[in-house]
Amino acid sequence: MGKAYQVKCTECNYEEKFFLGPGSNDANMTKEAKKDLRSGLYGEQAREFSILASYGKIQCQRTLYRCRQCGNLEPRIKMRIVTQTLHFSQPYFCSKCGKLMGQVRPSDIKKQHCPICGKPIQVVNISNWDIAPYPLK
């Protein structure tokens, strides 16, 4: 079961709800992730690493990312390949400006700034979820 974070900016009325963590309707994510990795969808390095992952496991869950350039907040499916000696996580890029994004830990959501006006956002509600909307929101 995951957590849903509803955030709001009191300055510009930006409001969003992020469904983060694992949920029952995301059960096929790992299977789809393996297929996408082996097809080369995430690049040659990820494809090669997916071959090594057959000796480990792939972990998938909904995670919040923030663009390091424009401040855009986006939930993504974080894919992590773990073997005994190697760890690999795919980098994510902003859908608005194309720059690298950084992961936002759940404890740091309340410290984020509004992607529209730059003022601090507030977490107005946290709830549990088991079935989240798809595609990601």
Side-chain angles (χ1 to χ4, degrees):
M1 182 175 295
K3 297 266 187 206
Y5 294 83
Q6 185 173 356
V7 299
K8 184 176 184 176
C9 176
T10 56
E11 293 292 320
C12 72
N13 294 322
Y14 165 81
E15 191 168 353
E16 192 64 66
K17 191 170 191 176
F18 301 114
F19 293 86
L20 306 177
S24 65
N25 66 325
D26 294 331
N28 290 327
M29 281 194 300
T30 301
K31 183 178 172 184
E32 292 173 21
K34 286 180 183 179
K35 185 179 100 180
D36 290 345
L37 281 166
R38 292 198 173 111
S39 74
L41 180 67
Y42 297 106
E44 184 60 26
Q45 180 186 20
R47 189 189 70 74
E48 290 174 5
F49 196 79
S50 73
I51 296 166
L52 295 174
S54 60
Y55 302 104
K57 65 180 184 175
I58 295 179
Q59 301 167 337
C60 296
Q61 73 175 26
R62 294 166 184 252
T63 304
L64 185 63
Y65 286 85
R66 181 177 189 88
C67 178
R68 295 176 179 172
Q69 180 69 33
C70 72
N72 184 35
L73 291 167
E74 290 184 49
R76 299 286 183 92
I77 300 294
K78 179 180 180 181
M79 225 179 356
R80 185 170 176 227
I81 303 171
V82 180
T83 68
Q84 286 184 340
T85 57
L86 299 168
H87 295 265
F88 176 82
S89 291
Q90 181 67 29
Y92 294 98
F93 297 91
C94 181
S95 65
K96 290 188 178 182
C97 73
K99 300 295 182 184
L100 186 64
M101 300 185 86
Q103 181 178 334
V104 178
R105 291 186 179 129
S107 61
D108 291 335
I109 293 173
K110 63 186 175 204
K111 300 175 187 175
Q112 300 306 304
H113 290 85
C114 176
I116 296 172
C117 72
K119 302 290 183 188
I121 60 172
Q122 295 177 341
V123 176
V124 294
N125 190 27
I126 301 173
S127 58
N128 293 324
W129 68 271
D130 194 39
I131 298 178
Y134 197 84
L136 290 184
K137 180 113 172 96

